[in-house]
Amino acid sequence: MRASAPGKIILFGEHAVVYGRHSLVSAINLRCYVEAKESKEVLIKSSLGVTSLDFKIHPYVSYAIKRFSEKAKIDGVKIEIKSEIPIGSGLGSSAAVTVATLKALDAEFNTGFTNEEILELAKLVELDVQGRASGVDPFISTYGGAWLIPEKKRVVIPYDFFVINLGSKSTAEMVAKVAKLRKRHSKTVERIFDAIDALTVEAASKIDDYKTIEELISINQSLLRALGVSTPEIDKLIAELDELGFKAKITGAGGGGCIFGLKKEKIPPESLQVSYEEEGVRIEDS
Ligand code: MEV
């Protein structure tokens, strides 16, 4: 059986959300497609290569199979992944592949899991790989739409986005980097999280106000820089975009990955236009 799940953009609140603060997140119209076929052995095929269970090359899919097989007895499975979401770029490729794999496994082995149960397994997988995670990414890949977290309040996003991909990074590493900074400067870092929290709540209540959202994008980016998850390359690009009249920030863990901003009449050169996606995980026709 074949399933798919969307990627996401964190508009506001990454990193702070790991420590209980708000985040504003939207699913996007790029999806990851996973086919699962019952087999005698485990085989995982993706643009990263062909492996059996391999926690280095295919960590999320391998842990997804492991977690699934704790719930349902399976001898083996062939998994084939085709993704429109750039890998390790902050656009939620890991959560999308995890959620789509679990949904495809559920359909192939007739386990009858609800989406809530799939989300719970996906959150365990994220913790297996990252050690620390908010669960926001698997939530969005499961349900689609745009949400203020943790209230789970639906938000309607009235514009499209542009994204620029600066290459892949490790979410686990960036989350660990922020954890280390917090340990060394706990009061200061907690206040940065509080500031991110405040601007995220403000953004959710003024989502139609384009100018305010752009201002908050710039403030959030400065705070992410203070947390040490920006890079000289990102800072330079954001300054260049500013000259062109676009505001942008990191989306996701940072350290590389993607930056995003709001689409105007046009999008910046060498950027990709993405839009809000309503639909979460789903079964595809095989
Ligand atoms: C990663 O897309 C977002 C982070 O906030 C980590 C998480 O929420 O688990 C950096």
Side-chain angles (χ1 to χ4, degrees):
M1 296 294 274
R2 201 160 162 258
S4 77
K8 61 94 196 19
I9 278 185
I10 299 191
L11 283 88
F12 299 101
E14 50 275 272
H15 289 292
V17 69
V18 177
Y19 299 90
R21 302 331 195 267
H22 284 89
S23 68
L24 186 56
V25 193
S26 176
I28 54 171
N29 61 338
L30 299 177
R31 302 185 78 85
C32 177
Y33 296 84
V34 176
E35 177 145 23
K37 246 196 190 120
E38 192 170 359
S39 166
K40 293 225 157 8
E41 48 171 6
V42 174
L43 205 74
I44 307 167
K45 195 171 162 192
S46 76
S47 62
L48 300 172
V50 182
T51 69
S52 53
L53 267 197
D54 188 319
F55 297 93
K56 285 229 155 60
I57 294 179
H58 290 123
Y60 290 92
V61 177
S62 296
Y63 276 112
I65 295 169
K66 182 169 175 279
R67 286 287 179 185
F68 183 82
S69 61
E70 288 167 5
K71 299 266 176 197
K73 202 191 140 353
I74 60 172
D75 291 331
V77 64
K78 279 190 184 156
I79 298 281
E80 187 163 352
I81 302 150
K82 293 200 175 123
S83 188
E84 300 165 348
I85 312 165
I87 295 170
S89 64
L91 297 183
S93 59
S94 306
V97 79
T98 304
V99 169
T101 298
L102 290 166
K103 185 80 174 177
L105 286 170
D106 171 61
E108 179 69 11
F109 292 96
N110 286 314
T111 34
F113 291 148
T114 61
N115 280 351
E116 286 69 29
E117 288 168 317
I118 284 178
L119 172 59
E120 286 316 308
L121 283 177
K123 289 205 291 204
L124 290 177
V125 170
E126 201 180 40
L127 287 173
D128 287 335
V129 181
Q130 282 170 222
R132 195 191 283 262
S134 67
V136 161
D137 290 15
F139 177 86
I140 294 295
S141 282
T142 303
Y143 294 115
W147 304 77
L148 179 67
I149 304 289
E151 281 86 346
K152 298 186 185 156
K153 185 168 167 262
R154 281 263 187 187
V155 178
V156 177
I157 310 261
Y159 27 71
D160 288 341
F161 313 108
F162 69 84
V163 295
I164 302 178
N165 186 3
L166 293 161
S168 71
K169 48 83 218 161
S170 153
T171 297
E173 255 173 53
M174 299 320 289
V175 169
K177 190 174 181 191
V178 173
K180 204 165 148 202
L181 192 74
R182 177 173 173 263
K183 213 168 165 201
R184 286 178 59 77
H185 307 284
S186 92
K187 278 198 178 135
T188 306
V189 170
E190 287 296 331
R191 284 182 193 181
I192 296 174
F193 290 159
D194 286 341
I196 293 175
D197 184 67
L199 72 83
T200 302
V201 172
E202 184 185 352
S205 69
K206 296 183 184 160
I207 198 73
D208 295 332
D209 182 344
Y210 197 95
K211 184 164 181 288
T212 297
I213 297 300
E214 283 209 318
E215 283 167 358
L216 295 175
I217 282 177
S218 294
I219 298 172
N220 198 164
Q221 172 58 25
S222 301
L223 294 167
L224 286 168
R225 190 159 179 264
L227 290 177
V229 298
S230 197
T231 65
E233 193 191 4
I234 291 175
D235 296 342
K236 185 164 169 275
L237 182 56
I238 287 178
E240 284 165 9
L241 289 168
D242 198 63
E243 298 267 298
L244 298 174
F246 293 99
K247 305 293 176 207
K249 70 175 267 294
I250 287 165
T251 180
C258 280
I259 60 169
F260 95 99
L262 308 188
K263 181 187 176 259
K264 297 183 186 291
E265 301 80 57
K266 357 183 233 184
I267 55 172
E270 286 164 58
S271 67
L272 173 73
Q273 184 173 331
V274 297
S275 49
Y276 165 85
E277 166 72 36
E278 179 62 30
E279 222 183 330
V281 68
R282 69 178 180 224
I283 292 294
E284 300 282 335
D285 295 335
S286 285

